Amino acid sequence: MWELYDALIEEIPDEIIVDDVVVGGEMTYVEANGCIGLTAYRDYVQRAPMMTGNRIGRPLKEVAGYVKSWNFREASIGQSAINAWYNHPDTARRAGIEIAEKKRVEERLKDPFIKSQNLVKGKKVCVVGHFPFLEKLIAPVCDLSIVEWDPEEGDYPYSACEYLLPECDYAFLTCAAIGDKSMPRLLELSENAKGVTIVGPGTPLSSVFFEYGVSDLSGFVVTDVRLAKRILAGAESQRIFGAGMKVEYLRAGV
């Protein structure tokens, strides 16, 4: 079950060093190589962390290994370290991911639910994670099931994934499932779907996922590091998306 995680970690260069680590109220970031990687986290800290020493100054690859931690706050540090490499603008561009020089109105079309409205029309869709505006964006055009760890009214509990994902035409999976270790199982359950998208600003933009049946990575690249750090620290009150770009990374042939 660790194969996916090991593959993500393995591609991170050995020589990159962590410059900063911050665990905020809702999101974590790791700074390295002139940029930051970030992710939200589930606040499960009952298990002891893998490392209690100073993570700053450690190799990014080593810190990325904390994504395997069963202390989910520490796992978010590991996932953010992974993103500090794959979601770095330079790394993303080398992978062929389009990153605009300036924000454009068309960026909203990178939103996975907006761009898929025609694709999912009349289909069975399972979304793991209650993302904003689902009821307006895709619920009117498809047979939608929403799964959540902490279900809202009308949502299914997380255990429903075992029943809903194998029957869906399209699956949208929260990137939080990487840190909580459910992602390998969710991908296995979704193997019959026509399309599988991983969604959220903490999505690592790595082609490794394509080997596991993922067709689309809907992630985020920080382009204004100083602003992003202020937002995550709570010094500035706005959504993190103001400090970067929503991007898509499609599997070849999709």
Side-chain angles (χ1 to χ4, degrees):
M1 297 296 284
W2 294 117
E3 292 176 356
L4 170 62
Y5 297 89
D6 291 337
L8 288 169
I9 296 164
E10 181 58 31
E11 292 190 18
I12 299 173
D14 296 325
E15 65 273 14
I16 298 178
I17 300 300
V18 170
D19 297 316
D20 198 11
V21 176
V22 171
V23 179
E26 296 181 353
M27 301 189 82
T28 297
Y29 77 76
V30 170
E31 183 174 10
N33 198 27
C35 198
I36 67 171
L38 52 84
T39 193
Y41 63 91
R42 304 193 194 281
D43 200 11
Y44 177 88
V45 295
Q46 281 79 358
R47 296 289 300 174
M50 294 171 63
M51 180 184 178
T52 56
N54 187 3
R55 301 177 179 96
I56 298 172
R58 306 299 302 172
L60 183 66
K61 191 171 191 174
E62 176 188 329
V63 176
Y66 302 153
V67 72
K68 296 182 178 182
S69 175
W70 290 106
N71 178 304
F72 288 172
R73 190 176 296 175
E74 183 179 46
S76 75
I77 296 173
Q79 187 171 341
S80 294
I82 289 171
N83 292 339
W85 169 247
Y86 291 106
N87 296 37
H88 191 291
D90 294 342
T91 308
R93 287 191 181 98
R94 286 196 296 270
I97 299 169
E98 180 186 1
I99 302 174
E101 293 299 323
K102 296 182 180 180
K103 280 190 173 294
R104 301 169 299 176
V105 175
E106 290 83 358
E107 190 201 10
R108 67 189 180 86
L109 298 179
K110 302 295 185 182
D111 183 285
F113 303 111
I114 292 176
K115 73 177 186 179
S116 66
Q117 286 172 323
N118 289 329
L119 187 67
V120 304
K121 190 173 293 184
K123 305 296 184 181
K124 280 190 174 183
V125 177
C126 182
V127 181
V128 180
H130 198 129
F131 293 92
F133 311 119
L134 288 175
E135 292 82 0
K136 293 182 179 180
L137 292 176
I138 63 172
V141 300
C142 69
D143 180 2
L144 176 64
S145 301
I146 302 173
V147 176
E148 251 296 346
W149 262 54
D150 186 14
E152 301 176 20
E153 183 177 354
D155 291 349
Y156 288 88
Y158 213 72
S159 55
C161 289
E162 296 286 333
Y163 302 85
L164 296 173
L165 286 173
E167 297 182 351
C168 72
D169 297 303
Y170 292 93
F172 296 85
L173 311 176
T174 173
C175 61
I178 298 170
D180 69 31
K181 316 303 183 292
S182 61
M183 182 60 76
R185 181 57 180 163
L186 298 184
L187 293 176
E188 185 178 29
L189 291 168
S190 306
E191 62 183 2
N192 294 324
K194 297 176 181 178
V196 178
T197 302
I198 299 178
V199 183
T203 301
L205 298 170
S206 170
S207 60
V208 166
F209 287 102
F210 300 151
E211 301 172 18
Y212 290 82
V214 174
S215 50
D216 186 358
L217 298 170
S218 178
F220 182 70
V221 171
V222 171
T223 55
D224 189 332
V225 174
R226 293 180 65 184
L227 175 59
K229 290 167 72 171
R230 291 199 304 272
I231 293 171
L232 296 174
E236 189 150 341
S237 181
Q238 63 169 292
R239 298 183 72 198
I240 190 61
F241 297 108
M245 296 277 178
K246 286 184 179 181
V247 298
E248 63 179 6
Y249 188 14
L250 301 176
R251 188 181 67 212
V254 173

